[in-house]
């Protein structure tokens, strides 16, 4: 068996007196999509910020390729190939595609004693990288990021991370603000990254999106891993129930029953014109 790319052993994170993560044990393998699920405040962002070197675990350890690692800052994690794509692609609307692709590592060429940004090379490289990912609608590196759709921005950010050698790709709610078509576009790109052997950590609230791409699922409830299972081991209903902590949906069922009891056994009806008038 090959070593997992990333492994967390008994990771705890507290902010002062507030314990946010409890004894997290997780393995993340190359060429696998791990869906990290959980309700608001469950600790998903805290967990990925810990992986990405923003926070240090209070106790516990992280391993990459079987070797203990400790990150003091995000750059340490980035240098090991842990890339995080934030919602909206984390890019600047007034920058061109070519520019934003190379932010921080611009290709330069020399004109006499000066080094200048090599716009042509940057544009060609960026467009080629995104087209290889199947985003054929991006064909001009001079276009502004602000003119791209949300899905295209996400896709561009993922293609960029992969181009620069990401081994672990963390996507924090990449499909949250997208319509059906754009979300499916981003999900396709996620599968493309997986095909290239990247370990993807995909955070989402949408069970449909998780089920479309996930190989492995971990559900966080109040900072602990409440369930850890592989594709096919749980039904959509079970996953939805787990994400809501089991409690919220039970509450909803109780509320429906209460309603029916107080309305002669009739379930709630949508308000029609007749009843509103
Ligand atoms: N720096 C901090 N100091 C104190 N508490 C924090 C800090 N960061 C996060 N928390 C708390 O940790 C808990 C988990 O927060 P986190 O942002 O990780 O949740 P989440 O699962 O990403 O939620 P969401 O789905 O809403 O994004 C919350 O109760 C939050 O208030
Ligand atoms: Mg969050």
């Amino acid at each position: 068996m090959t070593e997992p790319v990333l492994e967390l052993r008994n990771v705890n994170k507290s902010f002062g007196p507030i314990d946010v993560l409890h004894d997290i044990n997780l393995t993340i393998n190359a060429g696998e999509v791990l869906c990290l699920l959980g309700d608001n405040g469950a600790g998903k962002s805290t967990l990925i910020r810990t992986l990405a070197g923003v926070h240090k675990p209070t106790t516990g350890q992280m391993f990459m390729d079987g070797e203990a690692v400790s990150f003091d800052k995000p750059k340490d994690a980035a240098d090991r190939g842990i890339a995080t794509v934030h919602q909206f692609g984390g890019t600047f609307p007034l920058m061109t595609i070519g520019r934003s692709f190379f932010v921080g590592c611009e290709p330069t060429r020399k004109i006499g004693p000066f080094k200048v940004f090599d716009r042509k090379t940057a544009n060609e490289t960026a467009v080629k990288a995104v087209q290889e990912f199947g985003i054929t609608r991006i064909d001009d590196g001079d276009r502004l990021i602000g003119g791209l759709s949300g899905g295209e921005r996400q896709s561009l950010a993922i293609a960029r991370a992969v181009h620069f050698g990401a081994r672990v790709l963390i996507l924090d709610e990449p499909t949250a603000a997208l319509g059906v078509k754009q979300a499916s576009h981003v999900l396709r790109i996620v599968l493309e990254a997986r095909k290239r052997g990247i370990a993807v950590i995909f955070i989402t609230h949408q069970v449909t999106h998780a089920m479309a791409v996930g190989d492995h699922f971990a559900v966080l409830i109040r900072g602990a891993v409440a369930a850890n299972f592989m594709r096919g081991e749980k039904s959509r209903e079970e996953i939805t129930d787990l994400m809501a902590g089991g409690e919220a949906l039970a509450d909803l069922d109780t509320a429906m029953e209460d309603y029916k009891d107080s309305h002669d056994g009739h379930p709630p009806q949508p308000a029609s014109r007749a009843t509103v008038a």
Side-chain angles (χ1 to χ4, degrees):
M1 240 198 81
T2 51
E3 293 277 6
V5 178
L6 198 61
E7 186 180 354
L8 299 175
R9 284 192 211 153
N10 306 108
V11 166
N12 289 278
K13 177 68 196 168
S14 309
F15 296 100
I18 307 164
D19 297 330
V20 176
L21 298 178
H22 308 277
D23 258 338
I24 307 282
N25 287 292
L26 269 182
T27 54
I28 299 129
N29 296 303
E32 186 180 277
V33 178
L34 165 69
C35 291
L36 193 57
L37 308 169
D39 213 352
N40 298 115
K44 303 178 297 296
S45 293
T46 305
L47 178 59
I48 59 150
R49 284 194 200 114
T50 307
L51 297 177
V54 177
H55 302 314
K56 266 192 127 158
T58 309
T59 60
Q61 266 194 309
M62 297 201 287
F63 298 83
M64 266 194 104
D65 306 307
E67 181 197 334
V69 288
S70 165
F71 306 134
D72 290 322
K73 51 188 184 307
K75 186 166 182 308
D76 296 344
D79 288 346
R80 293 294 298 244
I82 300 180
T84 310
V85 172
H86 296 283
Q87 217 176 326
F88 309 120
T91 40
F92 316 99
L94 293 178
M95 243 185 215
T96 67
I97 290 168
R99 265 282 179 190
S100 78
F101 199 82
F102 285 97
V103 161
C105 47
E106 290 86 354
T108 53
R109 71 191 159 91
K110 275 193 124 179
I111 298 184
F114 305 108
K115 275 192 179 169
V116 297
F117 174 70
D118 188 346
R119 191 180 120 236
K120 188 160 171 287
T121 303
N123 285 353
E124 282 171 8
T125 313
V127 167
K128 184 160 171 281
V130 296
Q131 293 217 343
E132 277 173 9
F133 253 85
I135 317 162
T136 45
R137 281 176 56 190
I138 295 184
D139 55 6
D140 177 4
D142 272 330
R143 269 180 71 190
L144 295 182
I145 296 292
L148 299 178
S149 73
E152 286 168 342
R153 275 191 226 189
Q154 279 291 335
S155 304
L156 176 67
I158 295 171
R160 178 180 186 273
V162 172
H163 179 82
F164 287 105
R167 296 189 58 221
V168 179
L169 184 62
I170 301 173
L171 307 173
D172 197 355
E173 307 237 17
T175 53
L178 304 181
V180 177
K181 212 165 148 206
Q182 289 197 33
S184 69
H185 207 76
V186 172
L187 295 173
R188 264 216 324 270
I189 308 287
V190 169
L191 291 176
E192 181 63 35
R194 169 184 180 269
K195 207 163 86 191
R196 297 189 188 197
I198 291 163
V200 183
I201 303 177
F202 181 73
I203 297 175
T204 181
H205 276 96
Q206 280 143 301
V207 180
T208 311
H209 295 174
M211 292 188 85
V213 296
D215 298 295
H216 176 184
F217 302 80
V219 183
L220 282 186
I221 297 180
R222 288 185 291 277
V225 178
N228 190 348
F229 53 94
M230 302 306 283
R231 185 182 195 88
E233 288 180 358
K234 288 202 193 297
S235 68
R236 170 182 304 268
E237 288 70 28
E238 286 171 312
I239 300 175
T240 310
D241 214 23
L242 273 166
M243 280 179 70
E247 299 153 12
L249 291 185
D251 284 353
L252 188 61
D253 281 346
T254 315
M256 292 278 271
E257 287 309 315
D258 288 351
Y259 186 96
K260 279 196 231 164
D261 286 347
S262 58
H263 290 76
D264 301 329
H266 296 297
Q269 296 294 318
S272 68
R273 286 230 176 95
T275 55
V276 171

